[in-house]
Amino acid sequence: MLGTETQRHPFLQGLSKHRGAPPTVIVIFGASGDLTSRKLIPAIYNLSVDNLLPPDFHLIGYGRKQMENAAFQEAMTESVKTFSRRELNDEIWARIRDTASYHSGGYDEPEPYRKLGERIESIEKELGREVQALFYISTPPSVFKPILENLGASGLARRHRHGAFASKVVIEKPFGRDLESARDLNAVITRQFDETQVYRIDHYLGKETVQDLLVRRFANSIFEPLWNRRYVDCVQITVAEDIGVGSRGSYYEQSGAMRDMIQNHTMQLLSLTAMEPPVSLDPESIRDEKVKLLKAIQPLDPGARQGDVVRAQYAEGLVGGKKVPGYAQEDGVDPDSATETYAALRLSINNWRWSGVPFYMRSGKRMARRVSEIAVQFKRPPGILFSDAERFDLASNTMVIQIQPDEGTTLLLNSKIPGLETRTQPVKMHFRYRTTYGSNTPEAYERLILDSMVGDSTLFIRGDETESSWKLITPILETWEKYGRQGMESYVAGSWGPLAAEQLLWRQGHEWRRAGP
Ligand code: BG6
């Protein structure tokens, strides 16, 4: 039974064995960018270490910069040396490096695409077989459209469109900046590609702990019966970072926490935590459930007084004992900026399972520590037996799924303190990836690049999914834009966020957990 299931669902196969990706030419648009050197090239190298790249694998870097092949190969080698989770093994690396080439060209003129097509054909001639072309768009979003249109116009999108070697396109975030632009981008994509050829990235889905969410929920029988409004008091999702905007000030000014983290990463965590069980593990069944969940979220009224949304900007403070500037003093940031570096929301899900259960989400830069977690807080038992607060220190049972950095799950229980007197205190049961599996787990991008080559879209965002999420977020962004800095809260860098975010929970009789294991 397991054997048949595994063959049917690539999701079940994981990284454990070669999953039969056809011969592939991966073309990275934005080849000299930060993401390429920090994440994509090291991920490709690590796939090769694990023998997971298809036998005839070629890498082409595409960028506006003029560069010789040798210089590109040198830059890639540096990125593996600096950012790979495993040390560079020259013999393995040489197999990728020596066939890698650089293709310089503008993004919005047809000629370089024609030449790119010729280059792919010449690789096919050398190999004596067809290859699939995987176009990885890792550029600033302003050139997504011209790239997609030119891939279409040059015939590259339609190469073997329905065959085993159909071209594929992987698109990095941000996918639009509001509902209208996301729809517009989807329309451009679907004019050139079938949805089955499209892989919209949210790298959180490639994280081991995020994939484990489905296993935790649906491969254990003890949690699912409790996973509903009868037993759950509230759910808290935290994606906190201690870093500031660093050198990305001018990008971040156009984005802010809502677009950068909430619309995509935190919404994905929410969907996987709250969705109904899918009928099977195939990509469409899982994505159908996520979309259903997003549609059940009650639209927010961002204009209402004491609304369900808080935005804030970090002020100067101390992080790790070091003084750091406020957001408005960062490079590339307008001193009067109205961009939020923190956002918190209270969401209600109007469906049978979750009616009446608040879902709180928060994400921010320059917070007290880097930690991402999902905390499912259960209702307290009736206060009949252990009601004397002097002796009985009781916490709500809480299941905390730590997404990063200290991956694992913690269960908060109440326990009797050993002794002749009956006293209680909350205790923690821990499961840590580090102790159970060791620490060298694959990076999100390894999984995602492999899945896109193999053709498994489970961990990618479908077009309607991204629109459903933008539909919820866009009215908030529009209201914020209208009010400018009015209503913007402030928090000290290195803290857990603004007071207003605490009040958001206090009003419901809850409080934020001190995130962490
Ligand atoms: C990116 C955001 O999508 O995710 C960054 O643009 C953020 O601002 C990053 O720092 C966080 O990713 P991770 O994997 O480090 O949690």
Side-chain angles (χ1 to χ4, degrees):
M1 179 63 190
L2 186 65
T4 352
E5 282 295 289
T6 306
Q7 278 149 21
R8 216 176 316 137
H9 303 307
F11 176 71
L12 291 177
Q13 295 188 334
L15 291 172
S16 58
K17 63 186 170 115
H18 193 289
R19 293 200 276 142
T24 302
V25 174
I26 181 167
V27 181
I28 302 181
F29 290 91
S32 49
D34 202 46
L35 186 78
T36 304
S37 67
R38 280 176 176 276
K39 298 289 181 189
L40 306 186
I41 301 298
I44 289 171
Y45 167 68
N46 279 293
L47 286 173
S48 167
V49 174
D50 290 327
N51 201 20
L52 289 164
L53 289 181
D56 291 315
F57 175 84
H58 277 69
L59 170 65
I60 300 179
Y62 188 121
R64 275 188 287 224
K65 236 191 201 168
Q66 289 292 335
M67 209 190 312
E68 295 299 322
N69 285 346
F72 177 58
Q73 292 174 353
E74 183 53 34
M76 288 196 324
T77 306
E78 273 314 302
S79 89
V80 175
K81 281 188 184 153
T82 319
F83 299 114
S84 164
R85 71 184 163 94
R86 290 187 286 214
E87 267 190 24
L88 185 141
N89 171 315
D90 203 54
E91 199 183 319
I92 297 174
W93 174 233
R95 279 183 246 143
I96 302 171
R97 182 194 60 209
D98 294 350
T99 56
S101 56
Y102 184 78
H103 190 82
S104 81
Y107 293 125
D108 46 11
E109 41 194 278
E111 188 53 16
Y113 293 84
R114 197 185 55 75
K115 290 210 171 117
L116 178 64
E118 285 175 5
R119 171 82 189 107
I120 296 172
E121 274 168 26
S122 79
I123 292 174
E124 285 182 324
K125 276 209 188 96
E126 275 163 41
L127 297 173
R129 62 194 299 192
E130 287 186 344
V131 299
Q132 74 167 342
L134 186 93
F135 301 108
Y136 197 118
I137 306 183
S138 167
T139 59
S142 56
V143 291
F144 284 3
K145 273 211 241 170
I147 294 174
L148 290 159
E149 275 159 358
N150 277 300
L151 285 174
S154 60
L156 287 168
R158 275 173 288 277
R159 276 172 45 91
H160 323 299
R161 192 166 189 159
H162 297 293
F165 299 102
S167 313
K168 292 176 180 145
V169 64
V170 181
I171 305 169
E172 266 298 335
K173 70 178 270 268
F175 195 88
R177 48 178 291 107
D178 53 20
L179 178 58
E180 199 189 328
S181 53
R183 277 187 179 147
D184 194 29
L185 191 52
N186 272 333
V188 175
I189 293 173
T190 46
R191 270 202 297 276
Q192 317 301 348
F193 294 89
D194 295 330
E195 180 66 32
T196 52
Q197 296 173 281
V198 183
Y199 296 78
R200 295 173 194 77
I201 288 256
D202 182 315
H203 78 278
Y204 267 56
L205 292 179
K207 291 183 190 280
E208 280 294 331
T209 36
V210 177
Q211 295 166 46
D212 198 19
L213 265 170
L214 291 188
V215 179
R216 192 60 38 80
R217 284 192 59 195
F218 303 127
N220 293 290
S221 57
I222 56 172
F223 304 122
E224 201 50 24
L226 308 180
W227 216 256
N228 58 53
R229 71 188 141 82
R230 274 186 291 282
Y231 300 99
V232 175
D233 188 24
C234 71
V235 177
Q236 301 186 10
I237 301 179
T238 299
V239 180
E241 297 183 281
D242 53 3
I243 51 167
V245 290
S247 57
R248 296 165 79 220
S250 52
Y251 151 77
Y252 201 83
E253 275 287 88
Q254 306 303 314
S255 170
M258 200 65 141
R259 289 188 170 96
D260 191 46
M261 302 295 283
I262 301 271
Q263 184 273 335
N264 33 66
H265 306 324
T266 19
M267 279 294 188
Q268 285 300 320
L269 298 182
L270 170 73
S271 313
L272 291 168
T273 306
M275 72 182 204
E276 293 301 313
V279 289
S280 83
L281 284 177
D282 70 72
E284 294 324 314
S285 303
I286 293 178
R287 300 193 301 180
D288 285 348
E289 293 307 332
K290 289 200 299 180
V291 171
K292 254 167 66 189
L293 190 278
L294 289 171
K295 287 185 175 162
I297 298 175
Q298 187 175 315
L300 290 165
D301 177 4
R305 265 190 89 235
Q306 293 209 327
D308 291 330
V309 192
V310 172
R311 60 177 169 145
Q313 234 175 44
Y314 62 82
E316 175 185 289
L318 287 178
V319 173
K322 266 178 51 191
K323 195 168 158 194
V324 296
Y327 176 67
Q329 287 80 53
E330 300 272 17
D331 282 350
V333 173
D334 176 356
D336 292 322
S337 171
T339 302
E340 79 288 354
T341 60
Y342 174 100
L345 289 84
R346 183 176 76 93
L347 296 175
S348 308
I349 299 175
N350 285 339
N351 66 12
W352 196 257
R353 184 188 286 261
W354 294 119
S355 175
V357 180
F359 279 72
Y360 303 109
M361 311 205 294
R362 60 177 166 171
S363 180
K365 299 253 181 235
R366 283 285 188 233
M367 291 180 65
R369 53 185 292 215
R370 174 173 181 252
V371 58
S372 298
E373 65 169 42
I374 299 160
V376 180
Q377 186 171 309
F378 293 92
K379 290 186 174 162
R380 285 172 175 264
I384 301 167
L385 301 177
F386 300 102
S387 53
D388 175 1
E390 284 279 295
R391 288 193 296 145
F392 304 125
D393 176 9
L394 295 177
S396 298
N397 291 141
T398 306
M399 177 163 162
V400 187
I401 299 173
Q402 276 106 19
I403 304 295
Q404 62 185 29
D406 191 8
E407 292 86 353
T409 297
T410 299
L411 204 53
L412 199 64
L413 307 168
N414 295 306
S415 172
K416 177 181 176 300
I417 304 171
L420 300 182
E421 220 187 334
T422 302
R423 288 179 167 275
T424 69
Q425 72 169 38
V427 292
K428 292 174 176 177
M429 267 170 63
H430 291 298
F431 148 61
R432 306 252 69 83
Y433 275 60
R434 195 167 14 98
T435 38
T436 307
Y437 302 121
S439 55
N440 213 353
T441 47
E443 286 255 348
Y445 277 96
E446 294 172 40
R447 174 77 196 222
L448 297 175
I449 291 174
L450 180 64
D451 281 2
S452 58
M453 283 192 300
V454 171
D456 181 356
S457 51
T458 313
L459 302 176
F460 296 85
I461 317 286
R462 208 167 60 189
D464 54 344
E465 200 178 342
T466 187
E467 290 182 19
S468 300
S469 165
W470 276 120
K471 205 168 172 181
L472 285 164
I473 301 297
T474 303
I476 306 172
L477 292 168
E478 285 170 350
T479 310
W480 287 355
E481 207 163 300
K482 196 164 89 198
Y483 287 101
R485 284 192 53 82
Q486 195 188 329
M488 176 74 75
E489 307 284 339
S490 173
Y491 61 105
V492 178
S495 71
W496 279 105
L499 178 65
E502 305 293 335
Q503 290 165 338
L504 179 74
L505 270 68
W506 292 344
R507 287 200 291 276
Q508 309 292 320
H510 292 132
E511 57 182 64
W512 286 110
R513 269 176 43 78
R514 189 50 34 109

